[in-house]
Amino acid sequence: MSSSSCNRWGALLLTISRCLAVAPTARKGFARWIHCLWCVVLLGYVWIGCIWKCVVFDAEMPTIEKLLFLMEFPGNITITGLLVYQAVLNSPYAKEVETQIHRLICEQDVAVAQRLYQQHGKRTRLLLVYTIVFHGVCVVVDIVNYKFNWWTTWISNSVFNLPALMISLGVLQYALAVHFLWLLQADLCHRLAELQMRQRPPKGIVNLDARYDLFFAALVDAGGCSSQVLEELRSTYTSIDRHHRQLLDKFGPFLLLNFGNSLCSFCLELYMVFNFFEQPQWAAGILLFYRLLWLVMHGGRIWIILAVNEQLVEQECHLCLQLNQLEVCGSHLERTINRFLVQLQTSIGQPLLACGVIDLDTLAMGGFMGVLMAIVIFLIQVGLGNKSLMGVALNQSSWIYV
């Protein structure tokens, strides 16, 4: 895959994001005002649809289920409003971090920069195709669920799938920006491995061999060069860590709201799937498939955010391991390695938090699962209590709603 084709995939993602009002435009003057107007109009359309759905929703179900179901709409309103704010009013800051990341990549060798862009293009293509195909399937299932009633399905897709696609593109923006940083850290590991290979004695030389002393003397003479390389790597790592913190500052509120919204929706959808298999109504099989898609979407959003941050932490641990394996042949080189190690250990020791609340680490999945199971078990207990008091009619009617 050529670098130009990689850039095309990134440009396609940016164009789709701009059309859906979740990315700022690069143009100025009249074109920028047109884009801002379109963003405001699309946001107003989404907000009106969500508010209308909250007002007209009258399905018979327990209050707690209705509350969890309706919480998705204020969540969508807040998250889409935050994304559009970043694209319209906070446009210079929204583009600043990404620009600095690209500038850092351009500072690398031409061959290295081209390789990083190629790898990033493959990841962009994969995630973009998955996202578009997934939401396309959701639209088709919604159309079939409403038996090709075009007006009804237009409203449903406007209320559910349109804000869902906007939020998914916002998640992609963060995930792909962090992926760029991960590629840069992987390149640091590669360069450290090359430095470590240059420090190894030739084959056949052992510690008691006279040639080993000659090799070690040459290694000491090259220690200044090794220190310089390590200082350059440490400077690059410092920039990577700073850009990652800036990304967390920029996307922190979005990530926090997305976690809360996805967790509530995931709990309710999982409970409704449980209800279906308790007393199957196979006539609503399409709706079951729709709910399974919604479970995949909300679970996938949480997982991809945690996974991309976990990759950075793993690379930092790998950097520590490689630094500890370097041959120390001088006091200056030892101090350089120690400074690098202290910086890495300090960064690893500071947890990655969204707004200082949510730990962005796959180890946090245990906490999410605990909260998820507590809410689902609570909903099951409420459902069992309602069935014992009111029969199964309420339980059956609460399944068929969208």
Side-chain angles (χ1 to χ4, degrees):
M1 180 184 291
S2 64
S3 58
S4 60
S5 62
C6 298
N7 293 333
R8 283 199 296 269
W9 284 106
L12 178 60
L13 173 61
L14 190 58
T15 300
I16 296 174
S17 299
R18 286 169 176 169
C19 292
L20 292 177
V22 294
T25 181
R27 299 181 179 180
K28 298 181 180 180
F30 183 73
R32 183 176 182 275
W33 285 106
I34 291 296
H35 179 260
C36 292
L37 179 61
W38 164 248
C39 292
V40 173
V41 170
L42 185 61
L43 180 64
Y45 177 74
V46 170
W47 282 16
I48 290 173
C50 291
I51 295 172
W52 173 81
K53 186 65 176 179
C54 290
V55 172
V56 302
F57 184 76
D58 57 354
E60 295 184 2
M61 63 175 65
T63 303
I64 185 63
E65 290 183 32
K66 182 180 293 187
L67 179 63
L68 286 175
F69 177 77
L70 294 179
M71 279 179 64
E72 182 177 2
F73 300 110
N76 288 343
I77 288 174
T78 307
I79 296 172
T80 53
L82 187 61
L83 289 173
V84 173
Y85 168 76
Q86 293 283 357
V88 175
L89 297 179
N90 206 21
S91 176
Y93 177 74
K95 296 184 293 186
E96 179 183 0
V97 183
E98 285 81 356
T99 303
Q100 292 176 356
I101 294 175
H102 285 286
R103 188 180 297 119
L104 181 61
I105 293 176
C106 293
E107 292 175 357
Q108 312 301 314
D109 294 338
V110 176
V112 173
Q114 186 175 10
R115 176 170 55 83
L116 295 182
Y117 276 116
Q118 287 177 351
Q119 294 175 349
H120 185 72
K122 293 179 182 179
R123 176 61 64 90
T124 303
R125 178 186 62 181
L126 183 67
L127 293 180
L128 180 59
V129 170
Y130 280 173
T131 301
I132 298 301
V133 170
F134 178 83
H135 286 281
V137 171
C138 290
V139 170
V140 172
V141 172
D142 191 277
I143 294 173
V144 175
N145 182 58
Y146 283 107
K147 298 181 174 57
F148 299 92
N149 187 332
W150 299 108
W151 174 248
T152 304
T153 195
W154 173 270
I155 296 175
S156 177
N157 281 308
S158 299
V159 172
F160 289 99
N161 283 312
L162 178 57
L165 179 57
M166 295 171 66
I167 296 172
S168 296
L169 291 175
V171 172
L172 283 189
Q173 290 181 33
Y174 175 77
L176 290 174
V178 175
H179 181 254
F180 253 141
L181 299 179
W182 177 80
L183 289 174
L184 284 168
Q185 279 196 355
D187 182 64
L188 294 185
C189 292
H190 178 69
R191 292 168 65 181
L192 267 180
E194 290 180 344
L195 180 61
Q196 186 178 357
M197 289 296 296
R198 291 199 299 267
Q199 289 187 333
R200 290 182 179 178
K203 293 182 178 180
I205 296 181
V206 297
N207 293 353
L208 300 179
D209 198 327
R211 289 177 299 168
Y212 184 83
D213 295 334
L214 296 176
F215 173 78
F216 191 78
L219 185 62
V220 172
D221 292 336
C225 181
S226 299
S227 299
Q228 183 179 359
V229 172
L230 285 175
E231 286 292 351
E232 293 175 358
L233 296 182
R234 190 169 73 90
S235 176
T236 303
Y237 170 76
T238 301
S239 299
I240 293 173
D241 187 61
R242 183 177 67 252
H243 294 332
H244 191 204
R245 302 293 173 178
Q246 290 174 343
L247 282 174
L248 287 178
D249 291 339
K250 171 188 171 182
F251 286 95
F254 165 74
L255 297 178
L256 180 61
L257 292 171
N258 179 68
F259 274 120
N261 195 39
S262 292
L263 183 61
C264 292
S265 298
F266 193 92
C267 291
L268 181 63
E269 299 298 340
L270 185 62
Y271 169 69
M272 297 308 298
V273 170
F274 169 82
N275 260 4
F276 177 86
F277 287 106
E278 186 182 15
Q279 293 187 352
Q281 303 175 43
W282 296 110
I286 295 297
L287 184 56
L288 171 65
F289 184 60
Y290 204 178
R291 294 194 184 284
L292 293 176
L293 288 176
W294 231 240
L295 281 173
V296 172
M297 181 187 70
H298 288 293
R301 286 178 185 170
I302 294 175
W303 175 254
I304 192 172
I305 293 172
L306 298 179
V308 294
N309 288 283
E310 178 67 19
Q311 287 180 333
L312 280 181
V313 177
E314 290 177 354
Q315 285 286 8
E316 291 175 347
C317 295
H318 191 50
L319 280 172
C320 287
L321 177 62
Q322 288 182 300
L323 286 172
N324 281 312
Q325 291 175 345
L326 290 175
E327 292 287 345
V328 179
C329 53
S331 59
H332 180 63
L333 180 59
E334 183 180 7
R335 287 194 299 269
T336 303
I337 293 175
N338 288 336
R339 283 197 297 267
F340 203 165
L341 282 172
V342 169
Q343 185 174 353
L344 282 168
Q345 291 169 355
T346 302
S347 178
I348 295 173
Q350 295 176 351
L352 301 174
L353 301 175
C355 295
V357 178
I358 300 296
D359 191 0
L360 301 179
D361 193 330
T362 51
L363 296 177
M365 285 300 296
F368 282 112
M369 293 301 297
V371 174
L372 169 66
M373 296 309 299
I375 296 176
V376 172
I377 292 173
F378 175 72
L379 290 174
I380 292 174
Q381 291 175 337
V382 171
L384 292 175
N386 285 326
K387 282 196 293 185
S388 64
L389 294 175
M390 304 173 63
V392 297
L394 179 60
N395 185 57
Q396 291 179 345
S397 63
S398 66
W399 163 254
I400 309 295
Y401 70 89
V402 176

